[in-house]
Amino acid sequence: MAAAPATEPRARRAHAPRPWRNWTRTEQVTPVRVERPASGDEVVAAIARARADGLPVKAIGSGHSFTGIAVAPGVQLDLTDLAGITRIDATTGLVTLAAGTKLHAASAMLHEHGLAFENLGDIDVQSISGALSTGTHGTGRAFGGLATQLRSVTLATADGRLLPVSPTENAELWPAARLGLGALGVLVDLTVQTVPTFVLAADEHPEPLDAVLDDWPTRSAQADHVEFYWFPHTRLALTRSNTRLPADASRQPVGRVKRWVDDDLLGNGLYEVLCRIGSIAPGTIPAFNRLASGVAFNRQVADYSHRVFASERKVRFREMEYSVPLDAVAPILRELDRVIEQNSWRISFPIEVRATAADDVWLSTAHGRESSYIAVHRYHREDAHDYFTAAEAILRAHDGRPHWGKLHTRAAADLRPAYPRFDDFLAVRDRLDPDRVFTNDYLDRVLGS
Ligand SMILES: Cc1cc2nc3c(=O)[nH]c(=O)nc-3n(C[C@H](O)[C@H](O)[C@H](O)COP(=O)(O)OP(=O)(O)OC[C@H]3O[C@@H](n4cnc5c(N)ncnc54)[C@H](O)[C@@H]3O)c2cc1C
């Protein structure tokens, strides 16, 4: 396909390339140039210029992927100026967001209109496009990942079109475009199905690990959004259950002092200090984990959903997360426990377990099966290699599928059997980006070059 001529925008927003790093500091690159388009036409023009110069082009979000998926060595598109709500229908709840909108900003704007995202992950600093492009998810057996909230997108393509894609327009592309890994084009806007504002009542407390493990398939369906954290070297699971309530339900936000103690001091400040001590003196980690399990998690909160779903993560870490069949959680965590203790590893960061509904998105980690998610973490100053290698072997053996934005070593040949529609996705990629304008090393690895 030939690159269509694109009109030069009146004021071309570009700035000198600076080194770019992802949040966790595993990836860095200095692009040949950075462009800052503020409209769909400017995105199309930037793609055309990149092609004319023989450079690959890639949009970035907030750089919160642990993998190299957002690395843009050619032209990096910074979508900071392509943000905000462009269309809103408070009756249907259909809202169109410009592609660079950050989730926290979207939540705040939606709230003003009496609307909210149906579900969110642990943080909300990502861009809506970045989060959707990697299959970001939260927890809740009745809820899918973010891609299931999507109703249509506009995609700037390699051949210079602004292509609407939805179940009714260019419908054959829809199951791929809902979660496209940034491999199909540049998203310009996205329409999501929102829901009326609601309150979430959160109950967080420690429970015996074995009881939670044995009970997980049942327990994960007992509240609307259930998850738990297990600190290795302890026998406690820190459970969190969020129940959805109407918008006018009484709220019990965390007080400012308690929020500071829980989130800033214990959750981030003291936690950073203890992780640092643990990285120098690993023998302190089991005692620290027992302290963290007992102290940091004992609270009831009720507030508007976006304030409860997401929290701040100031302590930097590395993460690998796999989706696995719902009932595989207990055997996997017991194997992880055994491997950690056999190797005398001292792991300060908890393992997080969540669950979501099945969906029909081609590259979704929950494609065709109700899924549990198991995430292993390591403090960023510690070497994650051996622990993550062992964890990945266990997770793979249980039919695991890796999160596209989190560390893993899988490549196209061994991802194909995990995704029944893998080749269909590749066919859409071949059609939309035959010259691999949007590729990078990570995409070459997981999709093939
Ligand atoms: C502390 C932390 C907590 C996290 N919590 C969760 C969680 O609870 N659940 C979960 O599932 N994940 C979680 N993640 C992972 C995170 O949600 C994903 O990696 C997400 O992609 C990051 O969004 P981003 O805006 O930073 O995107 P980036 O990492 O910048 O980019 C990700 C991909 O999106 C593409 N992209 C961005 N914009 C566009 C566009 N306009 N068009 C086409 N492609 C585009 C990029 O090219 C790249 O391929 C977490 C990550 C961190 C660091």
Side-chain angles (χ1 to χ4, degrees), residues 7 49-50 115 189 191 223 306 394 396 429:
T7 46
R49 274 192 297 274
L115 298 170
D189 61 47
T191 300
H306 59 287
I394 295 168
R396 277 186 74 147
R429 184 189 190 210

Side-chain angles (χ1 to χ4, degrees), residues 324-341:
V324 294
L326 194 68
D327 56 4
V329 166
I332 290 173
L333 260 66
R334 290 190 170 113
E335 270 178 88
L336 280 169
D337 188 16
R338 201 166 44 248
V339 168
I340 289 169
E341 297 310 330

Side-chain angles (χ1 to χ4, degrees), residues 88-100:
I88 187 159
D89 183 337
T91 315
T92 61
L94 287 174
V95 177
T96 304
L97 294 157

Side-chain angles (χ1 to χ4, degrees), residues 122-336:
D122 288 344
I123 57 165
D124 58 8
V125 297
Q126 307 98 317
S127 67
I128 178 94
S129 301
L132 278 155
S133 297
T134 56
T136 296
H137 63 90
T139 191
R141 285 273 296 278
F143 303 90
L146 260 58
T148 63
Q149 299 172 34
L150 202 54
R151 293 296 174 269
S152 65
V153 298
T154 305
L155 195 63
T157 58
D159 62 355
R161 285 174 296 162
L162 283 174
L163 199 66
V165 185
S166 73
T168 53
E169 282 183 287
N170 297 303
E172 71 285 4
L173 307 176
W174 177 238
R178 288 166 86 184
L179 199 171
L181 306 184
L184 308 179
V186 177
L187 295 163
V188 167
D189 61 47
L190 310 93
T191 300
V192 288
Q193 178 66 63
T194 63
V195 297
T197 301
F198 61 101
V199 164
L200 271 183
D203 178 8
E204 302 171 352
H205 62 266
E207 291 184 55
L209 175 67
D210 285 319
V212 174
L213 287 182
D214 292 335
D215 205 20
W216 175 249
T218 321
R219 164 188 290 263
S220 55
Q222 275 168 353
D224 295 314
H225 308 273
V226 181
E227 66 187 308
F228 73 89
Y229 293 88
W230 168 55
F231 279 89
H233 323 298
T234 74
R235 305 311 301 165
L236 285 179
L238 311 177
T239 60
R240 173 183 287 164
S241 306
N242 291 340
T243 304
R244 299 165 83 94
L245 300 171
D248 58 359
S250 84
R251 291 184 299 120
Q252 218 188 318
V254 195
R256 273 173 53 202
V257 173
K258 185 154 171 57
R259 182 180 289 276
W260 182 79
V261 171
D262 285 0
D263 295 344
D264 291 334
L265 181 67
L266 287 174
N268 286 304
L270 179 61
Y271 197 44
E272 169 75 46
V273 172
L274 291 172
C275 287
R276 253 179 209 237
I277 294 171
S279 68
I280 299 160
T284 58
I285 288 175
F288 151 53
N289 283 3
R290 283 192 290 277
L291 173 78
S293 335
V295 177
F297 255 68
N298 236 324
R299 65 179 181 181
Q300 280 75 43
V301 178
D303 206 345
Y304 292 122
S305 58
H306 59 287
R307 298 184 192 156
V308 177
F309 279 134
S311 54
E312 232 183 316
R313 296 284 193 275
K314 290 184 189 157
V315 184
R316 232 176 275 282
F317 56 84
R318 307 270 147 80
E319 179 171 348
M320 168 186 286
E321 185 180 51
Y322 266 70
S323 87
V324 294
L326 194 68
D327 56 4
V329 166
I332 290 173
L333 260 66
R334 290 190 170 113
E335 270 178 88
L336 280 169

Side-chain angles (χ1 to χ4, degrees), residues 24 26 233 271-285 288-289 316-319 345-350 377-388 407:
T24 189
T26 47
H233 323 298
Y271 197 44
E272 169 75 46
V273 172
L274 291 172
C275 287
R276 253 179 209 237
I277 294 171
S279 68
I280 299 160
T284 58
I285 288 175
F288 151 53
N289 283 3
R316 232 176 275 282
F317 56 84
R318 307 270 147 80
E319 179 171 348
W345 293 325
R346 293 291 174 254
I347 309 296
S348 54
F349 259 80
H377 308 82
R378 195 103 215 232
Y379 181 51
H380 73 116
R381 291 176 190 277
E382 292 166 349
D383 183 358
H385 180 266
D386 292 352
Y387 176 40
F388 282 13
L407 297 171

